[in-house]
Amino acid sequence: MEEALIHLINRADPVAIVALLLIFGGGIIVALISISFNFISTSRKRDAEINLKHEMIARGMSADEIERVLAAKCNSSPGAK
């Protein structure tokens, strides 16, 4: 089995091997970058919300007021009138 695989690799076109590596390796790299950016984006949004909560607590806002602010923030969409 090993000899057949070695023979197949030796006969293969180097350009085809490089192309296959770029296709599959490139797809994996794109997927990893996408996952990383999604994680970073989610993490920053969570940190911003935590900082907002801390600021509101420091200003002495009640739990009901904080809840209303967060609900209003979640219900509004960019560009909404």
Side-chain angles (χ1 to χ4, degrees):
M1 178 71 170
E2 289 178 20
E3 292 177 13
L5 185 59
I6 292 171
H7 181 66
L8 182 63
I9 291 172
N10 286 336
R11 284 186 34 213
D13 182 18
V15 175
I17 292 173
V18 170
L20 285 173
L21 288 174
L22 287 175
I23 289 169
F24 291 111
I28 291 170
I29 289 172
V30 168
L32 290 174
I33 290 172
S34 175
I35 291 168
S36 298
F37 280 128
N38 186 30
F39 175 77
I40 291 169
S41 174
T42 303
S43 176
R44 287 187 179 196
K45 286 178 186 177
R46 187 178 60 241
D47 288 345
E49 186 171 322
I50 290 170
N51 288 335
L52 176 62
K53 289 176 184 177
H54 283 293
E55 287 178 20
M56 289 188 286
I57 290 170
R59 290 181 183 179
M61 295 176 75
S62 70
D64 289 334
E65 291 172 322
I66 293 172
E67 186 176 344
R68 272 187 269 138
V69 169
L70 293 177
K73 184 183 79 127
C74 291
N75 291 334
S76 66
S77 60
K81 294 180 181 180

